[in-house]
Amino acid sequence: MEFSSKLLEKAVYEMSQLPGIGKRTALRLVLHLLKQPKEQTGLLSQALLNMREEIKFCQSCHNISDVAICEICSNQNRDHQLICVVEDIRDVMAIENTGQFRGIYHVLGGKISPIDGIGPSQLNIPTLVEKVKTGNIRELIFALSSTMEGDTTNFYIYRQIKECDIVTSTIARGISVGDELEYADEVTLGRSILHRVPFENSFKNT
Amino acid sequence: MEFSSKLLEKAVYEMSQLPGIGKRTALRLVLHLLKQPKEQTGLLSQALLNMREEIKFCQSCHNISDVAICEICSNQNRDHQLICVVEDIRDVMAIENTGQFRGIYHVLGGKISPIDGIGPSQLNIPTLVEKVKTGNIRELIFALSSTMEGDTTNFYIYRQIKECDIVTSTIARGISVGDELEYADEVTLGRSILHRVPFENSFKNT
């Protein structure tokens, strides 16, 4: 693609560094900004810079937060003995949206993935292990994605804390609510039979 | 969607103002920036700001340019008597990529579209009409999209310059090169028959 302006080319290049944004999409976005009032570009740039410079991570659960201890961790109405281990802050938002979980979280910041060069030391695993060993924790729920990397990460953490006297669990895998059985993949269907729940539990909502 | 940080919420909001970027995509992009070194966010913000503040439009053809008269308009090897009228600078880039056009351009900056509140006065039509009336122009090629708005714009310009002694043409509409006839829509197929070209012209490339 040839650009008639270096400024435009630079803006398109930087925009296309974002994941899922190719050169053409980047050009469309940048030209949209050119058609809008200058303030909009200013607001966008400032919001991104402010966020990148000033955002904090909760010292306890590593969730994104504006203060040192996030709202969830500082909420005394939540069950601080129950920790849900997730990969990413998006998972925290997804679980919070269900309204089904009243414990606290621990955000790992990724999964162990040697192929991407991510080892246990790059993740927030030591703080979790320390929390379990020193704190008053009853149960740890693993809510990582069920991929090779997710399972590896679960197992790595499990090995470090198996001496401790706590319950560990993983979220249930099975057929999505509303899905047709015939279209489900066999691994999921197999697991949903293996981990069947007593019928009288199945219509309890919480 | 509930955010654990106002800074994050603001960045996601501003990002989701871009066309085709919803809240979820915006969140994914913003979290990607958080995982990258701070410099990347700085470069992106700066590139967008620089572009928005400093970009110029060519005084002759209204194409984006870093100088007062763009490279195409100041190129003496191009045919300055042949003007291709386009909607957008992306169309200039697309036509330049074909390597088939050696004239100059005129970028309207949009099409007449009463439903979006865009009238002739918001487009670069007066400068085009003036160019045709005062300049030494041989031919005007309309290369707008073949929608109601495109046709309206073509016709509006045509009416203003029909007194002048110049040739006007529109780009050919027809079946795309490599396309199967059976899948073509009937309007396009109809036009391609109506505007058929002499066979000996069809394998000339320029």
Side-chain angles (χ1 to χ4, degrees):
Chain A
M1 222 187 276
E2 277 208 25
F3 292 93
S4 53
S5 153
K6 289 275 167 226
L7 291 165
L8 182 70
E9 186 170 3
K10 177 83 181 137
V12 169
Y13 171 79
E14 291 296 340
M15 205 64 150
S16 67
Q17 298 298 300
L18 294 173
I21 308 271
K23 281 257 163 131
R24 269 166 199 270
T25 309
L27 179 61
R28 193 165 52 84
L29 298 179
V30 164
L31 290 181
H32 170 83
L33 284 176
L34 269 184
K35 282 191 186 164
Q36 302 298 311
K38 285 189 183 181
E39 292 75 49
Q40 193 177 333
T41 311
L43 283 172
L44 172 62
S45 302
Q46 205 50 53
L48 291 178
L49 278 178
N50 282 352
M51 179 211 57
R52 192 63 188 87
E53 293 289 333
E54 287 166 36
I55 219 158
K56 292 186 191 71
F57 292 90
C58 171
Q59 287 165 9
S60 172
C61 72
H62 308 284
N63 190 5
I64 283 175
S65 168
D66 289 338
V67 283
I69 299 290
C70 77
E71 272 180 43
I72 296 174
C73 289
S74 59
N75 184 345
Q76 287 307 316
N77 291 325
R78 297 187 78 120
D79 183 352
H80 285 247
Q81 296 193 317
L82 179 64
I83 298 185
C84 182
V85 181
V86 294
E87 219 178 290
D88 204 319
I89 80 132
R90 273 182 290 175
D91 303 326
V92 173
M93 290 166 71
I95 297 176
E96 281 296 284
N97 274 343
T98 68
Q100 297 290 324
F101 182 66
R102 298 303 300 161
I104 58 172
Y105 297 92
H106 188 92
V107 181
L108 294 178
K111 312 173 271 202
I112 297 174
S113 170
I115 213 161
D116 302 314
I118 301 174
S121 58
Q122 275 120 300
L123 304 177
N124 301 318
I125 293 179
T127 47
L128 175 63
V129 173
E130 202 193 306
K131 221 190 270 181
V132 171
K133 284 190 175 157
T134 59
N136 185 15
I137 310 294
R138 194 179 69 243
E139 183 176 346
L140 214 60
I141 306 174
F142 291 115
L144 305 191
S145 44
S146 62
T147 56
M148 177 99 89
E149 289 83 12
D151 290 346
T152 309
T153 314
N154 286 344
F155 193 65
Y156 180 89
I157 298 172
Y158 175 74
R159 271 207 322 201
Q160 301 210 15
I161 57 161
K162 68 176 172 198
E163 317 277 88
C164 305
D165 181 30
I166 62 161
V167 178
T168 49
S169 58
T170 68
I171 55 169
R173 308 289 174 184
I175 309 295
S176 292
V177 178
D179 258 17
E180 312 255 0
L181 252 60
E182 52 180 327
Y183 302 120
D185 65 293
E186 56 249 52
V187 181
T188 305
L189 190 53
R191 282 240 221 154
S192 76
I193 289 175
L194 208 63
H195 299 147
R196 61 196 176 278
V197 293
F199 184 65
E200 56 272 27
N201 287 0
S202 69
F203 40 77
K204 285 186 195 156
N205 234 339
T206 38
Chain B
M1 222 187 275
E2 276 208 27
F3 292 94
S4 54
S5 152
K6 289 275 166 226
L7 291 164
L8 181 70
E9 186 169 3
K10 177 85 180 131
V12 168
Y13 171 79
E14 290 298 340
M15 205 65 149
S16 67
Q17 298 299 299
L18 294 172
I21 308 269
K23 282 258 164 132
R24 269 166 197 270
T25 309
L27 179 62
R28 193 164 54 84
L29 298 179
V30 164
L31 290 180
H32 171 84
L33 284 176
L34 269 184
K35 282 191 187 165
Q36 302 297 311
K38 285 189 182 180
E39 293 75 50
Q40 193 177 331
T41 311
L43 283 171
L44 172 63
S45 302
Q46 205 51 52
L48 291 178
L49 278 177
N50 282 353
M51 179 214 54
R52 191 62 189 88
E53 292 290 332
E54 287 166 36
I55 219 158
K56 292 187 190 70
F57 292 90
C58 171
Q59 287 164 10
S60 172
C61 73
H62 308 284
N63 190 5
I64 283 176
S65 168
D66 290 339
V67 283
I69 299 288
C70 77
E71 273 179 42
I72 296 174
C73 288
S74 58
N75 184 346
Q76 287 307 316
N77 292 325
R78 299 189 77 120
D79 183 352
H80 285 247
Q81 296 192 319
L82 179 63
I83 297 185
C84 182
V85 181
V86 295
E87 218 178 290
D88 203 320
I89 80 133
R90 273 182 290 176
D91 303 326
V92 174
M93 290 166 72
I95 297 175
E96 281 297 283
N97 274 343
T98 68
Q100 297 290 324
F101 182 67
R102 298 302 301 159
I104 58 171
Y105 296 92
H106 189 92
V107 181
L108 294 178
K111 314 172 270 203
I112 297 174
S113 171
I115 212 161
D116 302 314
I118 301 174
S121 58
Q122 275 120 302
L123 304 176
N124 301 319
I125 294 179
T127 48
L128 174 64
V129 173
E130 202 193 307
K131 222 187 272 180
V132 171
K133 284 189 175 158
T134 60
N136 184 16
I137 310 293
R138 193 179 70 243
E139 183 175 347
L140 215 59
I141 306 174
F142 291 115
L144 304 191
S145 44
S146 62
T147 56
M148 176 98 90
E149 289 84 11
D151 290 344
T152 308
T153 314
N154 285 345
F155 193 66
Y156 180 88
I157 297 171
Y158 175 74
R159 269 205 323 197
Q160 300 210 14
I161 57 162
K162 69 178 171 197
E163 318 277 88
C164 305
D165 182 28
I166 62 161
V167 179
T168 48
S169 58
T170 68
I171 55 169
R173 309 288 174 183
I175 309 294
S176 294
V177 178
D179 257 17
E180 312 256 358
L181 252 63
E182 51 180 327
Y183 301 120
D185 65 291
E186 57 249 51
V187 182
T188 305
L189 190 53
R191 283 242 220 153
S192 76
I193 289 174
L194 207 64
H195 300 146
R196 61 196 177 278
V197 294
F199 184 65
E200 54 273 26
N201 288 1
S202 69
F203 40 77
K204 286 185 194 156
N205 233 340
T206 38

